[in-house]
Amino acid sequence: MNRNLLLISNSTNAGEEYLLWPREYIACFLNKFGVKKVLFIPYAGVNLDPRSIEKSFDVYEERVRKIFREMGFELNSIHHEANPVIAVNEAESIVVGGGNTFHLALMMQEFGVMEAIRRKIVRGIPFVGWSAGANVACPTMKTTNDMPICEPPSFNCLKVIPFQINPHYLDANPAGHAGETREQRLFEYLAVNRNTTIAGLREGCLFWIEGNIIQLKGKRSLRVFRYGKEPEEFESGSDVSFLLS
Amino acid sequence: MNRNLLLISNSTNAGEEYLLWPREYIACFLNKFGVKKVLFIPYAGVNLDPRSIEKSFDVYEERVRKIFREMGFELNSIHHEANPVIAVNEAESIVVGGGNTFHLALMMQEFGVMEAIRRKIVRGIPFVGWSAGANVACPTMKTTNDMPICEPPSFNCLKVIPFQINPHYLDANPAGHAGETREQRLFEYLAVNRNTTIAGLREGCLFWIEGNIIQLKGKRSLRVFRYGKEPEEFESGSDVSFLLS
């Protein structure tokens, strides 16, 4: 499949500036494809301004625009567009921000943007997504960590990779918490989805995918979950091409 | 509304025996209504035996049956029944165990059990649920913490209370985690569901509801979230009757 994807676990590491750690990767990735302009999808950011969703998207756009401008890219958000599908069709690159995956998928599906972005990706347009934005690249949103605050028409997503990402994958549990651990939640997923592989993508890590070449980058190892197998760890830079097969 | 509900945040506190802390409340509640037999809903327990869902339900039933037998109740699981709706119609009490809320809601809806249980509850049959089992008493499952491992026909639930419970509510975050906190997730919920109240039910706490009387029991305070307001804390035993109005 023709695809150029930068799928990022998280925007910001604890204690760091917003979108700091992946900035160099994003710039390098977009520059490789000669990108000047970015179409931003803010639909996951529901409460950056608590007064309304529309204002929240405005705040989100400004926050991300500032970073992208510093990197040399012009960024505009899709929520100003009268026809979002046309905006996607005319875009030279797509960037999907994090937040709530259910709200992101709901709006992408309702506006026809899910299908439109998929068509653009398979034609080779560069796509960048972090957190919820990485989740929507997967076959479904079934490995998101987010709360189901709204009900999308379907859990199906872009399906431009054949495996599921669990972003913000982490080993620690909150002190005194007796609920399910992250690993237990992923085992529950595998119990009812036996044929799918999950990539537990720790914070500060990303996948750089061009066609059938996938590279794992970042400071932490990847934890891979498959039904009936012990989870496996893969260091940054190691061969994870099995994820695309 | 005629209803008798025991809605429990969590089965087990960290480091304790399974279903230990709520045991006395469950026994007291069921005895008050003269219950001898319990119909158990195991649908949330997808991987207590990794070999199959059916075996998982068997393991879940045995685990819970042992505890209920010690309390003097006979317990049988609905998954053995050829016609689950008839089993609900003939039950003298319903107990819904925790696990994955999406799988629980999916099976309850597909088998017609959601609607059947609702009819029984409004006729006064005692209902006990913990974790996912407390979530399904709410209008929707939109404040669950669980992963959307499968896609239920709808997010609508029993709606036998007018507010949303967030079970296992906790203040702590995992060390080094840069994703959304629980509180942020609930604020996201309120951003798109402004008219609903959320009860953040900490571990070791429960609601005892008879008709229009609601009592908060347990060792920790309740944290209540409403759109446009600061979260409020309510100590065990305080008047939370506003939740039912």
Side-chain angles (χ1 to χ4, degrees):
Chain A
M1 184 192 285
N2 197 3
R3 62 190 153 195
N4 296 299
L5 312 169
L6 193 68
L7 305 178
I8 304 169
S9 177
N10 62 310
S11 61
T12 314
N13 290 332
E16 287 184 9
E17 199 183 320
Y18 183 63
L19 266 181
L20 183 67
W21 82 266
R23 211 171 287 188
E24 205 179 322
Y25 291 108
I26 294 172
C28 186
F29 178 78
L30 293 177
N31 283 325
K32 179 165 186 180
F33 299 99
V35 169
K36 299 288 174 214
K37 285 178 68 176
V38 160
L39 180 66
F40 180 60
I41 316 293
Y43 300 149
V46 296
N47 65 342
L48 283 79
D49 185 322
R51 286 173 296 173
S52 76
I53 304 255
E54 193 70 17
K55 288 190 172 70
S56 178
F57 293 164
D58 289 344
V59 171
Y60 203 178
E61 176 184 33
E62 271 317 305
R63 181 187 284 191
V64 179
R65 175 183 280 149
K66 184 173 169 292
I67 313 286
F68 275 69
R69 190 181 285 144
E70 287 168 18
M71 294 190 287
F73 305 107
E74 185 188 334
L75 179 144
N76 289 295
S77 172
I78 196 170
H79 76 284
H80 301 299
E81 303 288 338
N83 189 324
V85 170
I86 291 176
V88 169
N89 290 343
E90 294 175 350
E92 53 174 281
S93 71
I94 307 275
V95 171
V96 185
N100 185 282
T101 310
F102 290 86
H103 200 265
L104 173 60
L106 174 75
M107 294 196 76
M108 286 178 71
Q109 288 172 18
E110 285 195 342
F111 293 153
V113 164
M114 188 75 85
E115 194 45 43
I117 291 180
R118 189 184 147 75
R119 283 195 304 264
K120 291 287 278 192
I121 289 173
V122 299
R123 284 182 209 146
I125 196 183
F127 173 98
V128 177
W130 58 85
S131 193
N135 262 136
V136 292
C138 303
T140 72
M141 51 178 296
K142 292 181 184 175
T143 52
T144 177
N145 307 306
D146 296 337
M147 194 167 272
I149 62 170
C150 57
E151 193 169 347
S154 149
F155 286 1
N156 293 334
C157 286
L158 291 168
K159 207 178 177 172
V160 289
I161 53 173
F163 61 98
Q164 290 290 130
I165 292 174
N166 179 243
H168 301 275
Y169 181 76
L170 83 181
D171 309 276
N173 290 300
H177 178 56
E180 290 86 350
T181 65
R182 181 70 61 84
E183 189 156 285
Q184 281 171 335
R185 296 185 192 286
L186 297 177
F187 286 141
E188 285 181 352
Y189 171 86
L190 290 176
V192 295
N193 300 277
R194 296 188 172 188
N195 297 321
T196 312
T197 299
I198 311 166
L201 195 60
R202 292 189 172 90
E203 294 186 342
C205 298
L206 58 81
F207 290 117
W208 181 309
I209 301 171
E210 293 182 47
N212 290 319
I213 310 294
I214 178 169
Q215 291 175 280
L216 170 64
K217 294 175 183 285
K219 290 183 186 144
R220 297 189 174 94
S221 62
L222 179 76
R223 192 162 178 87
V224 172
F225 299 83
R226 286 183 271 201
Y227 177 74
K229 285 192 166 184
E230 282 297 306
E232 294 165 276
E233 295 279 338
F234 294 87
E235 294 303 319
S236 180
S238 55
D239 180 6
V240 291
S241 55
F242 67 91
L243 288 172
L244 291 185
S245 64
Chain B
M1 184 194 280
N2 197 3
R3 61 190 154 196
N4 297 299
L5 313 170
L6 193 70
L7 305 178
I8 303 169
S9 177
N10 62 310
S11 62
T12 313
N13 291 331
E16 287 183 10
E17 197 183 319
Y18 182 63
L19 267 182
L20 183 67
W21 82 267
R23 211 171 285 188
E24 204 180 321
Y25 291 107
I26 294 171
C28 186
F29 178 80
L30 293 177
N31 283 326
K32 180 167 184 178
F33 298 98
V35 168
K36 299 287 173 216
K37 286 179 68 176
V38 160
L39 180 66
F40 181 60
I41 315 293
Y43 300 151
V46 296
N47 65 341
L48 283 79
D49 185 322
R51 285 173 297 173
S52 77
I53 304 254
E54 193 70 15
K55 287 191 171 70
S56 178
F57 293 163
D58 290 343
V59 171
Y60 204 177
E61 177 184 33
E62 270 318 306
R63 180 188 285 192
V64 179
R65 175 183 279 150
K66 185 173 167 293
I67 313 287
F68 275 69
R69 191 181 284 144
E70 286 168 17
M71 295 191 284
F73 306 108
E74 185 188 333
L75 181 144
N76 290 295
S77 172
I78 196 169
H79 76 284
H80 301 299
E81 303 289 337
N83 189 325
V85 170
I86 291 177
V88 169
N89 290 343
E90 294 175 349
E92 54 173 282
S93 71
I94 307 276
V95 171
V96 184
N100 185 283
T101 310
F102 290 86
H103 200 266
L104 173 60
L106 173 75
M107 294 196 78
M108 285 178 71
Q109 289 173 18
E110 285 195 341
F111 292 154
V113 164
M114 187 75 84
E115 194 42 44
I117 291 181
R118 189 183 147 76
R119 284 193 303 266
K120 291 287 279 192
I121 288 174
V122 300
R123 285 182 207 145
I125 195 183
F127 173 97
V128 176
W130 59 85
S131 193
N135 262 135
V136 291
C138 301
T140 72
M141 51 178 295
K142 293 181 182 174
T143 52
T144 177
N145 307 305
D146 296 336
M147 194 167 272
I149 62 171
C150 57
E151 193 169 347
S154 149
F155 285 2
N156 293 334
C157 287
L158 291 168
K159 207 177 176 173
V160 289
I161 52 173
F163 62 98
Q164 290 289 131
I165 292 174
N166 179 243
H168 301 275
Y169 181 77
L170 83 178
D171 309 277
N173 291 300
H177 178 54
E180 291 85 351
T181 65
R182 180 70 60 82
E183 191 156 284
Q184 281 171 335
R185 296 185 193 285
L186 297 177
F187 286 141
E188 286 181 351
Y189 170 85
L190 290 176
V192 294
N193 301 275
R194 296 187 173 190
N195 297 319
T196 312
T197 299
I198 312 167
L201 195 61
R202 292 188 172 90
E203 294 185 342
C205 298
L206 58 82
F207 290 118
W208 181 309
I209 299 171
E210 293 182 48
N212 290 318
I213 310 293
I214 179 168
Q215 291 174 280
L216 170 64
K217 294 175 184 285
K219 288 182 188 145
R220 296 188 175 94
S221 63
L222 179 75
R223 193 164 178 85
V224 172
F225 299 83
R226 286 183 272 201
Y227 177 74
K229 286 191 165 184
E230 283 297 306
E232 294 165 277
E233 293 280 338
F234 295 87
E235 295 303 319
S236 179
S238 57
D239 180 5
V240 291
S241 54
F242 67 90
L243 288 172
L244 291 185
S245 64

